[in-house]
Amino acid sequence: MYIKSIRRITDDANHNAFTGACFFKDSLYVAYRQGAAHADPTGKIIVLRSDDEGKHFEHVATFRKNSDARDAHLYSDGEKLFVVGFEAGTERSSYTAFSKDGRNWSEWTKMEGTDGFILWRPQFHNGKYYCAGYGEFHWRNTSTVSWFESDDGIKWERKYDIHKGKDIPTECYLDFLKNGMAVMLMRCDDKTKKPYLCRSKPPYRKWSMARLDIQLVGPCLWVVNDEIWISGRWFLQPDITHVGVFRIVKNKPVLRLVLPSGPGFDLSYMGVARDPENPSRFWFSYYSGHTAPEDPDIEQFNYPDIYLVEAMFSSDREDFIRQWMVSDIKEISLDQAEYCDANDKDIRWRKISAYQEKDMKKGVPMSAIGFVDVGKFTKGKKGVIYFTTDIELGPMENAKMYIGYDGPVVVWFNGEKVFSGKGTNPAIADQTTVPINVRHGKNTITVALDTNDGKAEGIFCRIKPE
């Protein structure tokens, strides 16, 4: 996991919390609950929209009915963007609204078939809407988590109970593996605060449950190339918490990251927005009071703000293209670079391999696996270095090239220029997604990398079918 940026997107002296995030029709949306305090009847759900991948936001919607509207969630079926929350009055009812364009919204409508239950994080999968809702809640005593299904996201049917008891199961965050298996993180409000990791195969009528050995509430779960990741309000001590990010390995949580947060309890509740063009690129929303408001008269920890994280994951390290030919440095500018390949006899070529996992024994970090390192050739030199390779690809109509680069580049695929960009240092795997049309059989990739006055060191590259 590589963090590209963490942005604070609110600072308005409100209690901003309980977030959701989603991509819809090429725009990024973040929703959160805004109120005067952690629990307050003024609470309402705010929806923000960004057309530049989270750098700038505009307010597009506000939702509340009669009481504290909270626990915002966003999800999409491809045609509609749904916002979901619940009103924390005496009814504790679930509500939803939807938009077909991200700007014009339906009414804030009570979900049918959910009386007494909170549908916490619905998801759409293979033509149907699913959610684990919690209800029959008795403070510090017992509660029930039930499975709900819907054909339209408005009218729901309670199918059966997943779990109930004195471990007090409540909030559940749901996602799906490539094979259709549902995976879910279930909060428990007993003294242990240890959540369940739950799995179920289609048609989702029987669940396996494993209790994780961490204290975590405000659960979040997402899948990256069939790896399961979780986050939440992680208790280091009873009175010290942070937003912890964990990868699940053999049903055990492995800590990978602690986001800026804490030290009090009022934080976490991450939302997940997966890049629609790149399965390894994500945006996460969460809330925390670790940064003081600009107004010095506002008490810091009672008025948390919303943060947005952009992150890259590269789980399929074996998919990177390993074998390349690289040129000597040509003393030209990038705008003078023309297409060439290994058949060009006017260029001296040498073979080079991308880093593999076996190179970790030599001190190469995991994040560098797949990197084609030409730093020893480019260091201190001006000009352009070429990378080229031929790869065999099976029949496929469309594919995507995922590339990372630490200097300005031009990319050709089968002799056609398909991309040019500035690059960032260090190079980040899967930083850029390029749609390509492939041939059945041999295909040629050529990359011209500007050495950036000797600072650029190489590229990542892989191709996957759509």
Side-chain angles (χ1 to χ4, degrees), residues 383-419:
V384 170
I385 187 170
Y386 284 96
F387 304 71
T388 190
T389 190
D390 293 332
I391 58 172
E392 293 288 328
L393 296 171
M396 60 181 76
E397 292 184 5
N398 298 294
K400 291 177 180 176
M401 180 189 299
Y402 299 103
I403 56 176
Y405 40 95
D406 56 5
V409 295
V410 177
V411 181
W412 293 267
F413 188 72
N414 290 331
E416 177 184 358
K417 182 179 176 180
V418 293
F419 177 76

Side-chain angles (χ1 to χ4, degrees), residues 94-281:
S94 295
Y95 281 79
T96 190
F98 66 83
S99 174
K100 294 182 178 180
D101 61 7
R103 298 186 183 277
N104 299 290
W105 294 80
S106 68
E107 293 293 323
W108 188 231
T109 302
K110 184 178 176 180
M111 292 179 173
E112 298 181 28
T114 66
D115 290 348
F117 277 76
I118 295 169
L119 266 63
W120 204 62
R121 300 274 175 167
Q123 298 289 8
F124 181 80
H125 179 70
N126 281 352
K128 201 171 185 67
Y129 304 80
Y130 299 100
C131 189
Y134 71 95
E136 300 172 351
F137 180 82
H138 302 281
W139 177 246
R140 294 182 178 176
N141 188 3
T142 186
S143 62
T144 300
V145 168
S146 298
W147 185 248
F148 290 80
E149 297 180 2
S150 173
D151 292 324
D152 61 5
I154 307 294
K155 299 177 182 178
W156 291 81
E157 182 180 359
R158 182 182 174 186
K159 292 292 186 178
Y160 60 92
D161 296 339
I162 298 175
H163 184 58
K164 64 172 68 174
K166 294 188 178 299
D167 44 11
I168 317 176
T170 55
E171 301 158 348
C172 296
Y173 208 118
L174 173 69
D175 202 355
F176 296 88
L177 301 177
K178 293 175 183 177
N179 64 2
M181 176 178 282
V183 288
M184 186 167 69
L185 188 64
M186 179 186 295
R187 171 176 174 167
C188 290
D189 282 329
D190 60 356
K191 290 182 180 179
T192 72
K193 297 185 177 65
K194 293 182 178 181
Y196 286 103
L197 179 63
C198 311
R199 293 178 172 89
S200 181
K201 297 178 180 179
Y204 315 119
R205 294 295 179 264
K206 185 178 180 180
W207 292 79
S208 65
M209 299 173 58
R211 203 149 199 199
L212 302 181
D213 192 22
I214 50 171
Q215 291 187 312
L216 196 78
V217 300
C220 180
L221 178 148
W222 64 99
V223 173
V224 186
N225 299 314
D226 272 357
E227 284 186 353
I228 300 172
W229 291 71
I230 65 171
S231 75
R233 183 184 299 160
W234 175 42
F235 289 80
L236 281 77
Q237 296 181 17
D239 59 343
I240 299 177
T241 62
H242 287 289
V243 178
V245 178
F246 301 79
R247 185 166 68 91
I248 299 297
V249 180
K250 297 181 180 180
N251 274 353
K252 293 183 179 181
V254 178
L255 181 66
R256 297 304 304 269
L257 184 71
V258 177
L259 290 170
S261 55
F265 87 100
D266 215 358
L267 48 82
S268 78
Y269 285 81
M270 283 175 58
V272 179
R274 183 181 283 105
D275 188 315
E277 298 296 323
N278 187 340
S280 298
R281 190 182 189 197

